[in-house]
Amino acid sequence: MTERIFAEKTEAWLDVAAHICAARGSRLTDLRRQVLGLVLEAARPVGAYELLDGLRTDKKGAAPPTVYRALDFLLEQGLIHKIERLSAFVGCTHALDADHDGACHLHAAQFLICTGCGQVTELDDRQIVAALVAATRAIGFTVRHSTVEAEGLCAACHG
């Protein structure tokens, strides 16, 4: 029996992620699982090279392409988000907490980025998504993925 690497909640999310991938005909390999676990357990958005450092504690020969391939897969599966402004990644816990049948869905997220402390908060506001879909449908465009990033100050930094 292998020792648990991640916290219990993270392990539960990883099991859900494996189920989602399998239902879509994909596979959450051990490496992809480890990268996703590192993203999910990070206190803040995490960059590819930070993930590489985390991988190298167990996999000494891990190289940047290894991490980037895993991140590309996780993004395609909707299991993580890329915060473009920070060039960093966060787990999509909304997808992992929701009931899934493995079907693809509109992947939309909104992020509040605090310029004071760097904290990132993910919103899951269906009204924002609905407004975007309605506006784009009006011009014949179909949204398949959307990420909104808003910068400002969190409640703690605002004072």
Side-chain angles (χ1 to χ4, degrees), residues 16-89:
V16 170
H19 175 75
I20 290 170
C21 291
R24 294 177 181 165
S26 297
R27 190 167 161 262
L28 188 68
T29 63
D30 289 340
L31 177 70
R32 292 168 177 167
R33 183 180 178 98
Q34 189 169 4
V35 170
L36 179 56
L38 291 169
V39 171
L40 289 169
E41 289 208 334
R44 288 197 162 77
V46 61
Y49 281 90
E50 292 172 86
L51 292 168
L52 182 60
D53 290 343
L55 276 180
R56 284 184 173 157
T57 61
D58 294 328
K59 298 178 185 335
K60 302 292 184 216
T66 306
V67 172
Y68 284 113
R69 279 192 299 271
L71 290 169
D72 286 344
F73 173 84
L74 297 171
L75 284 165
E76 286 173 16
Q77 296 299 313
L79 300 172
I80 63 172
H81 297 287
K82 182 175 184 183
I83 308 293
E84 295 291 340
R85 168 74 174 88
L86 305 174
S87 192
F89 302 88

Side-chain angles (χ1 to χ4, degrees), residues 71-151:
L71 290 169
D72 286 344
F73 173 84
L74 297 171
L75 284 165
E76 286 173 16
Q77 296 299 313
L79 300 172
I80 63 172
H81 297 287
K82 182 175 184 183
I83 308 293
E84 295 291 340
R85 168 74 174 88
L86 305 174
S87 192
F89 302 88
V90 295
C92 183
T93 56
H94 291 106
L96 295 171
D97 282 335
D99 293 327
H100 274 274
D101 59 5
C104 290
H105 62 285
L106 169 59
H107 202 148
Q110 308 91 41
F111 294 100
L112 307 178
I113 304 168
C114 180
T115 56
C117 67
Q119 184 65 39
V120 174
T121 303
E122 180 179 358
L123 298 179
D124 190 20
D125 190 320
R126 298 295 174 206
Q127 291 178 337
I128 294 171
V129 175
L132 179 63
V133 168
T136 58
R137 247 191 217 143
I139 60 169
F141 188 85
T142 302
V143 176
R144 292 210 172 102
H145 176 85
S146 169
T147 303
V148 176
E149 298 178 15
E151 292 182 352

